[in-house]
Amino acid sequence: MSTLSSARSRTVMASVLCAVVPMLAACGTGQKAPTRLEYAVTDGVQTHAGNVVLRNVLLTADVAQGSGAKTLALQGVIDNNTGSNDTLTGVSAGPTAFATTSTATSVVPGTPVGLGTDGLGLTVSNLPTAVLPGSLVSVTFSFAQAGQVTVAVPVYTLASREPGAEPSTTVTFPAPDVPEGYNQSDFDNRPAA
């Protein structure tokens, strides 16, 4: 009898080990999984041309929500992760080039370049068709060393980008349909003292 029970114990233990070992082996996976990496949430897009990185790139239009604009301002940051200098040689929205104060801007490693009003102040005017906030515009960045990269950039109203801006519309939810007496306080059924 002890032989039979010993064989059953070994079978049960082997079954448990077969079930537990894969689970224990899986505990170490995913240590560097992309879903574990933290990143800053932004409204703009991110892309790169070689080791030159474009972060939080978006366009703003100085119009009311629902109105189209033919003039857009570019916001975002360019960062150089290479060991050598590069140069931003141009930015265009389709065939229309963005205007800037200089024709070429140095992108030095370790020194981010701002694209907004506090930075290069890049704007594009006279677009062939008006662009509505909420749409995407293909913007091409050209660099002397890193080459070109084209990215679909979202368009926002300028007012929505102001600090403390409230949403342009509010949502009113219907009142829930609950039975009568729902969430009523219970009656105290204790006898009076």
Side-chain angles (χ1 to χ4, degrees):
M1 190 82 125
S2 82
T3 309
L4 183 59
S5 123
S6 170
R8 283 186 188 158
S9 318
R10 285 193 297 263
T11 304
V12 169
M13 287 303 289
S15 298
V16 169
L17 284 174
C18 286
V20 170
V21 168
M23 290 188 326
L24 290 174
C27 289
T29 61
Q31 295 297 320
K32 297 197 187 242
T35 54
R36 286 194 75 236
L37 302 177
E38 293 182 20
Y39 60 93
V41 178
T42 62
D43 292 333
V45 294
Q46 298 187 37
T47 190
H48 61 88
N51 285 335
V52 175
V53 181
L54 298 150
R55 292 190 176 98
N56 197 22
V57 178
L58 56 96
L59 293 162
T60 57
D62 194 6
V63 294
Q65 185 70 30
S67 300
K70 289 193 170 194
T71 301
L72 302 171
L74 188 63
Q75 308 286 330
V77 174
I78 301 173
D79 204 1
N80 187 343
N81 294 336
T82 67
S84 60
N85 294 346
D86 205 338
T87 304
L88 175 66
T89 57
V91 181
S92 63
T96 309
F98 278 77
T100 182
T101 54
S102 62
T103 55
T105 302
S106 294
V107 184
V108 180
T111 307
V113 176
L115 299 174
T117 53
D118 295 337
L120 297 179
L122 293 167
T123 58
V124 63
S125 300
N126 302 322
L127 289 170
T129 59
V131 177
L132 287 171
S135 59
L136 298 172
V137 173
S138 291
V139 178
T140 302
F141 294 85
S142 302
F143 297 94
Q145 306 299 320
Q148 286 188 340
V149 63
T150 301
V151 63
V153 178
V155 178
Y156 294 91
T157 62
L158 187 59
S160 71
R161 305 304 307 153
E162 295 295 323
E166 294 293 324
S168 58
T169 59
T170 57
V171 177
T172 305
F173 296 99
D177 187 21
V178 294
E180 188 175 325
Y182 186 77
N183 278 343
Q184 297 291 323
S185 59
D186 292 332
F187 292 102
D188 189 359
N189 291 328
R190 290 180 289 172

